[in-house]
Amino acid sequence: MHVSETLGRFGARYAQQSPDADVLHHARRAVVDWYAALIAGHGMDPMPRLEQAMAEDLDRGGARLALGRRATVRTAALIHGTASHAAEVDDIFRHAIYHPGAPTISAALAVGQQEKVSGLAFLQAVIVGYEISTRIGQALGRAHYRYWHNTGTAGCFGAAAAAACLLGLDAPRFTHALCTVATFAAGLQQAFQMDSMSKPLHSGRAAEAGVTAALMAQQGVTGSLDVFEGPMGLGAAMSDTPDWQAVLADLGQVFNITQMTFKNHACCGHTFAAIDGALHLQQMHGFAAGDIDSLRIATYAPALAVAGNPSPRTAAEARFSIPYVVANALRTGSVRLAAFDEAHLSDMQTRALMQRISLEVHPDLDRQFPARRAAQVSITLRDASAHAWLQPTRKGDPDMPLSDADLQAKLMELAVPILGRQRLLRTSDRLWTLEQAAGLDFLCLPP
């Protein structure tokens, strides 16, 4: 049996089953976190420009955007997939170096609205989308991440699988949705090596591509069944001899959605261990940012490749700058959305501290990536005292998880300014009991 057929049969079968209560709870957590990211990102670049570009597909169609406008199903997936990745607060499956929520849940909502599905069916589709896409991303591995943005590539499969579930595709058509979307997978890391609006579009395009492939498969469009493991397939083209059988061995028994990282800072996840370690030392020893003579951060190589920008000029660049976010955290106590406004970006004391921060690769921590995201933080103060801390994981990782209360607080922080407290409380109450909902309209404001 081909890899595609194994995944397709799993997806079609699971859509007919009753989810385990623990898996269902983790799916609700993922949706709560996604909704927070979605609302936070709606006003950020490139969203206003994207809606203008897609105007022909707005104010009509079978789906709705979170802030109320009608949209065609594919454009709703594109816009929501982009918005929910724009603020850099969306979830992570660390073994796949991948943000599954933005493409997967955005596609599920768009198709779910068109098909008028229940909250339970929506959650089942989210579970399937996470399961299939995280395993594909994990198989592609670190070699894939050298050039490709996994949320744009693996995200296509999360979106296709979720859409296929909600369209009720049988195993052969489900399989062909995955095979077709494999040829759509894209997203280059170079797109976020400097100021650019492209990165969140990777997620949006993945959501749109997945919906498109599922709709095509529904009509009988077929793909190559060996597209994953074939000599010119996804694995050969985008990775280094991935072990497909290893990631499929416990398919349907272990659910990756129960092992998600939910972000505790509003920036690139590769910066988190350094932020957490620096704040830990500051809390332990009570020094101010101005007391620091030098600060050295040793971590895994991809963190420096993606987020090593020593002198960011814009908000987009600053979200991918370990020196900036660590300096900001030591100055303000956290890294929230406000860290990237003009006042914080131009703060002279933050900029001065950045000049005293050095970065290097830690060989042991690099070998542990992507399964572990750690950083060694060493600080020397102006009084010549020195302090060091190995931050073994990130707050929000599965081994240091955010609680349900933490996720609710994150949702309130990010969405209240846009939706208002009372409206958001009503929505969040329904999010936490989503499997009881008859439909999904409550996730969008009235038109």
Side-chain angles (χ1 to χ4, degrees), residues 33 81 85 88-107 125-142 144-145 148-162 178 181 185-186 189 192 199 202-204 206-207 210 256-257 259-263 268-270 300 369-371 373 394 397:
D33 189 77
H85 195 48
E88 290 292 338
V89 293
D90 47 327
D91 64 5
I92 302 167
F93 182 65
R94 59 184 176 182
H95 297 287
I97 326 172
Y98 162 48
H99 302 273
T104 303
I105 302 177
S106 298
V126 169
I127 294 166
V128 170
Y130 270 61
E131 201 56 39
I132 288 175
S133 62
T134 55
R135 288 172 183 269
I136 292 170
Q138 188 169 357
L140 294 174
R142 182 171 178 170
H144 180 71
Y145 192 63
W148 300 99
H149 180 205
N150 300 26
T151 303
T153 54
C156 290
F157 300 102
L178 298 177
V181 87
Q189 284 214 27
F192 47 96
K199 183 176 185 283
H202 294 169
S203 172
N256 291 337
I257 202 168
Q259 296 296 310
M260 296 307 303
T261 294
F262 295 111
K263 285 190 171 185
C268 174
H270 291 312
Y300 51 95
F369 177 83
R373 313 291 177 89
R394 306 170 295 186
D397 274 336

Side-chain angles (χ1 to χ4, degrees), residues 46-58 60 69 75 78-79 201 208:
M47 297 314 302
R49 294 171 176 83
L50 178 58
E51 290 196 22
Q52 290 170 3
M54 305 307 297
E56 185 179 5
D57 290 327
L58 296 178
R60 66 183 183 90
R69 295 183 75 177
T75 294
L78 168 65
I79 289 175
L201 289 168
E208 179 192 27

Side-chain angles (χ1 to χ4, degrees), residues 337-367:
L337 291 180
F340 306 100
D341 63 26
E342 184 55 37
H344 285 88
L345 286 172
S346 60
D347 182 80
M348 297 305 295
Q349 294 184 58
T350 298
R351 292 286 169 172
L353 178 55
M354 289 170 63
Q355 300 303 310
R356 303 195 293 275
I357 296 176
S358 62
L359 307 177
E360 62 185 63
V361 174
H362 190 301
D364 290 340
L365 302 187
D366 188 53
R367 281 190 288 271

Side-chain angles (χ1 to χ4, degrees), residues 177-261:
L178 298 177
C179 294
T180 295
V181 87
T183 66
F184 299 163
L188 296 170
Q189 284 214 27
Q190 194 64 41
F192 47 96
Q193 292 298 307
M194 60 183 296
D195 190 43
S196 164
M197 299 181 194
S198 298
K199 183 176 185 283
L201 289 168
H202 294 169
S203 172
R205 286 288 286 167
E208 179 192 27
V211 170
T212 300
L215 290 170
M216 289 177 175
Q218 186 182 40
Q219 300 305 317
V221 173
T222 62
S224 299
L225 292 177
D226 61 352
V227 73
F228 290 101
E229 71 273 28
M232 292 176 285
L234 188 79
M238 288 186 166
S239 188
D240 180 16
T241 60
D243 187 347
W244 295 107
Q245 294 312 310
V247 299
L248 297 177
D250 56 3
L251 181 65
Q253 302 169 38
V254 174
F255 287 85
N256 291 337
I257 202 168
T258 67
Q259 296 296 310
M260 296 307 303
T261 294

